[in-house]
């Protein structure tokens, strides 16, 4: 990595890069949905920071902060302008300040696969960025999306210019922007949007350059289906996610889309799916839990987009699974704040059990039952849990019920 900016407490920061992943005690919060831009969002979140901290969240993923062609933030144009539909730069900084006071890290949504042009260039396309910071020309845009750059190193995001990360000047500028978000603005964590769109080796370079405390990539491709039936074996799906993590030099975690796909079918009376043929958890958490960020829904799969939603009346079973199991669990804003106090409080109780019993991303599990209507597992030495209608409880007087709800129960020693 060329010129790393010195002066950000140099070595100290170097040591930081993998510390959060090694520690494994994260509980993440996705702090927005697809409609958030309509609701004075930075102000709304600032009021909720004390509750987020008290509930045990270590990091909150915020929507893309930069000026964008679409209000949701995913069609960025002027990356250095932090006035967006979510609120002004001033309000964003107030929110980040409040989060720092309450020790909840702010995670920036990094949208660098594509960028909306300001000016027509080669071929009459909007593939130049004249008049704004990072005023790139057509070489910054991949040849497959109307620019004069190289072929994309990943999949195309259609309808807008895709950025050519193979260009050194592009990487230098993006790294400087990420360093600005990290050290000047104060985002400590990064979430890489549409990570399928460009090579994982560039994510490695960006993490090495800007040194977020924690990073997670959205490597989302389809699970293996036979028609509409989800195949039992999802090994090659989770292997693709693992290959991406490897490509980042193991510096980034990745969302565990495999676990989401399997879990949302499993809760409909197919809990046998939650044990793979080796007896392990069937998602990325079964193979590389310290890099697997588990979740039930996000702004794409759930919310008003509902591209691939988790069955709503099974939501607490899902949280009972991800909040007691290895991996790095994420709670979705809608479930936590919009679905009523009972769900909010059940989630808080599960997070509390996780923290109190010292469950972390690498805690070993023993799967005891995986039948159509019953799943049970022992997590570490001190926690047992069950899901489904089947009756089950751990043997021995030393176990006491720690949390219970619709079709789930958790015991602790």
């Amino acid at each position: 990595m060329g010129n790393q900016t010195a002066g950000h407490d140099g070595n100290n920061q170097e040591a930081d890069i993998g510390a959060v992943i090694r520690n494994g005690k994260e509980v993440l919060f996705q702090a927005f949905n697809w409609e958030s831009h309509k609701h004075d969002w930075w102000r709304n979140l600032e009021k909720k920071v004390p509750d987020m901290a008290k509930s045990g969240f270590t990091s909150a993923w915020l929507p893309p902060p930069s000026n964008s062609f679409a209000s949701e933030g995913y069609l960025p144009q002027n990356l250095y302008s932090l006035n967006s539909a979510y609120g002004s730069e001033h309000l964003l900084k107030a929110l980040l300040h409040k989060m720092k006071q309450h020790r909840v890290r702010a995670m920036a949504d990094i949208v660098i696969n594509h960028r909306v042009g300001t000016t027509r260039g080669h071929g009459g396309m909007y593939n130049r960025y004249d008049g704004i910071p990072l005023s790139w020309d057509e070489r910054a845009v991949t040849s497959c999306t109307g620019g004069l750059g190289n072929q994309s190193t990943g999949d195309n995001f259609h309808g807008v210019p895709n950025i050519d990360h193979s260009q050194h000047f592009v990487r230098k500028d993006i790294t400087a922007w990420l360093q600005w978000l990290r050290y000047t603005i104060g985002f400590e964590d990064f979430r890489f949007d549409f990570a399928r769109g460009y090579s994982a080796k560039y994510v490695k370079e960006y993490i090495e350059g800007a040194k977020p405390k924690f990073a997670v990539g959205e490597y989302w491709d389809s699970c293996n289906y036979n028609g509409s039936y989800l195949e039992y074996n999802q090994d090659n799906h989770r292997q693709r996610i693992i290959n991406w993590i490897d490509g980042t030099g193991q510096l980034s975690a990745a969302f565990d889309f495999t676990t989401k796909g399997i879990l949302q079918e499993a809760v409909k009376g197919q809990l046998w799916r939650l044990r793979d043929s080796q007896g392990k958890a069937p998602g990325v958490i079964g193979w590389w839990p310290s890099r697997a960020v588990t979740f039930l829904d996000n702004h794409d799969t759930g919310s008003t987009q509902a591209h691939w939603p988790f069955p709503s009346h099974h939501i607490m079973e899902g949280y009972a699974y991800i909040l007691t199991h290895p991996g790095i669990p994420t709670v979705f804003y809608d479930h936590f704040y919009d679905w009523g106090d009972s769900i909010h409080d059940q989630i808080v109780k599960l997070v509390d059990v996780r923290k109190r019993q010292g469950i972390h991303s690498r805690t070993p599990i023993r799967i005891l039952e995986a039948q159509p209507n019953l799943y049970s597992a022992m997590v570490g030495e001190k926690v047992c849990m069950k899901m489904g209608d089947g009756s089950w409880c751990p043997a021995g007087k030393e176990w006491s019920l720690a949390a219970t709800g619709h079709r789930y129960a958790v015991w602790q020693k």
Side-chain angles (χ1 to χ4, degrees):
M1 251 303 292
N3 54 0
Q4 287 194 341
T5 40
H8 305 312
D9 28 283
N11 299 337
N12 189 352
Q13 220 68 48
E14 289 288 348
D16 249 348
I17 231 174
V20 167
I21 278 181
R22 281 194 301 279
N23 175 357
K25 297 215 167 76
E26 301 311 295
V27 181
L28 310 181
F29 181 61
Q30 177 173 5
F32 67 102
N33 61 35
W34 194 244
E35 304 298 324
S36 297
H37 61 91
K38 298 173 179 167
H39 302 286
D40 195 8
W41 203 246
W42 300 145
R43 250 200 205 96
N44 169 54
L45 278 185
E46 194 187 338
K47 296 188 193 93
K48 293 189 161 66
V49 170
D51 184 64
M52 280 155 40
K54 197 173 85 215
S55 303
F57 298 120
T58 54
S59 176
W61 159 23
L62 305 182
S66 295
N67 148 274
S68 165
F69 209 68
S71 305
E72 297 83 11
Y74 291 97
L75 294 177
Q77 189 168 60
N78 183 351
L79 293 175
Y80 277 99
S81 165
L82 299 183
N83 295 308
S84 72
Y86 295 102
S88 65
E89 175 169 344
H90 175 74
L91 288 171
L92 172 61
K93 285 179 168 166
L95 168 62
L96 296 187
H97 178 70
K98 181 87 160 263
M99 290 173 72
K100 204 160 183 68
Q101 284 179 319
H102 285 82
R103 296 200 172 87
V104 180
R105 298 195 312 276
M107 178 184 287
D109 201 327
I110 305 299
V111 187
I112 49 174
N113 172 75
H114 46 273
R115 184 183 176 202
V116 176
T118 60
T119 329
R120 287 182 201 258
H122 169 75
M125 313 269 282
Y126 280 92
N127 51 18
R128 294 181 61 91
Y129 302 91
D130 301 348
I132 55 172
L134 310 190
S135 51
W136 299 332
D137 62 21
E138 298 92 331
R139 290 172 305 147
V141 175
T142 60
S143 55
C144 20
T145 60
L148 293 174
N150 296 309
Q151 282 281 320
S152 175
T153 53
D155 296 341
N156 286 326
F157 184 91
H158 296 292
V160 281
N162 284 223
I163 293 171
D164 179 10
H165 294 262
S166 73
Q167 305 282 359
H168 181 261
F169 73 93
V170 166
R171 295 201 306 282
K172 189 164 113 345
D173 282 351
I174 288 176
T175 301
W177 174 67
L178 292 173
Q179 289 169 339
W180 175 76
L181 283 180
R182 174 82 177 83
Y183 300 107
T184 305
I185 304 305
F187 283 102
E188 296 184 85
D189 297 354
F190 292 161
R191 177 254 183 196
F192 288 93
D193 179 64
F194 199 71
R196 279 170 50 198
Y198 49 99
S199 169
K201 71 183 180 190
Y202 302 129
V203 173
K204 175 178 190 284
E205 186 173 325
Y206 298 141
I207 292 172
E208 287 171 342
K211 301 181 182 59
K213 289 192 175 160
F214 177 77
V216 55
E218 180 205 23
Y219 192 89
W220 181 12
D221 64 3
S222 261
C223 286
N224 312 331
Y225 286 91
N226 187 350
S228 64
Y229 181 80
L230 183 75
E231 301 276 5
Y232 167 65
N233 183 333
Q234 295 292 332
D235 288 357
N236 59 15
H237 185 263
R238 57 178 165 173
Q239 187 62 52
R240 290 196 293 275
I241 297 174
I242 279 171
N243 292 346
W244 182 85
I245 298 167
D246 256 332
T248 71
Q250 312 184 1
L251 295 179
S252 182
F255 287 107
D256 190 348
F257 282 94
T258 321
T259 289
K260 171 178 167 56
I262 293 169
L263 186 58
Q264 65 190 30
E265 292 302 316
V267 294
K268 302 174 190 168
Q270 302 175 15
L271 292 167
W272 47 268
R273 291 178 176 277
L274 294 178
R275 176 162 58 191
D276 74 9
S277 58
Q278 264 69 57
K280 295 177 189 264
V284 181
I285 57 170
W287 283 356
W288 203 353
S290 68
R291 301 296 189 284
V293 175
T294 52
F295 69 104
L296 303 189
D297 265 327
N298 62 30
H299 61 291
D300 288 322
T301 66
S303 188
T304 48
Q305 296 204 88
H307 289 315
W308 197 40
F310 200 91
S312 55
H313 48 297
H314 292 284
I315 219 86
M316 280 315 306
E317 269 173 283
Y319 279 120
Y321 182 86
I322 68 172
L323 289 171
T324 57
H325 277 54
I328 300 160
T330 310
V331 173
F332 184 39
Y333 183 93
D334 295 26
H335 303 149
F336 199 62
Y337 285 122
D338 293 345
W339 289 31
D341 290 346
S342 164
I343 293 216
H344 175 285
D345 296 348
Q346 287 179 73
I347 290 172
V348 168
K349 191 173 253 188
L350 288 168
V351 173
D352 189 53
V353 171
R354 183 181 186 88
K355 300 222 157 186
R356 236 192 3 258
Q357 299 301 342
I359 297 173
H360 53 80
S361 64
R362 299 178 190 77
T363 299
I365 54 165
R366 272 211 325 257
I367 298 171
L368 306 170
E369 299 283 352
Q371 304 166 21
N373 280 304
L374 172 66
Y375 171 85
S376 68
M378 184 159 171
V379 186
E381 297 301 315
K382 293 198 193 150
V383 173
C384 277
M385 64 83 71
K386 68 147 273 209
M387 296 158 62
D389 293 329
S391 70
W392 183 90
C393 67
K397 288 203 173 60
E398 68 275 24
W399 293 100
S400 64
L401 195 60
T404 179
H406 182 56
R407 298 168 58 119
Y408 76 90
V410 179
W411 295 263
Q412 61 188 10
K413 266 187 182 168

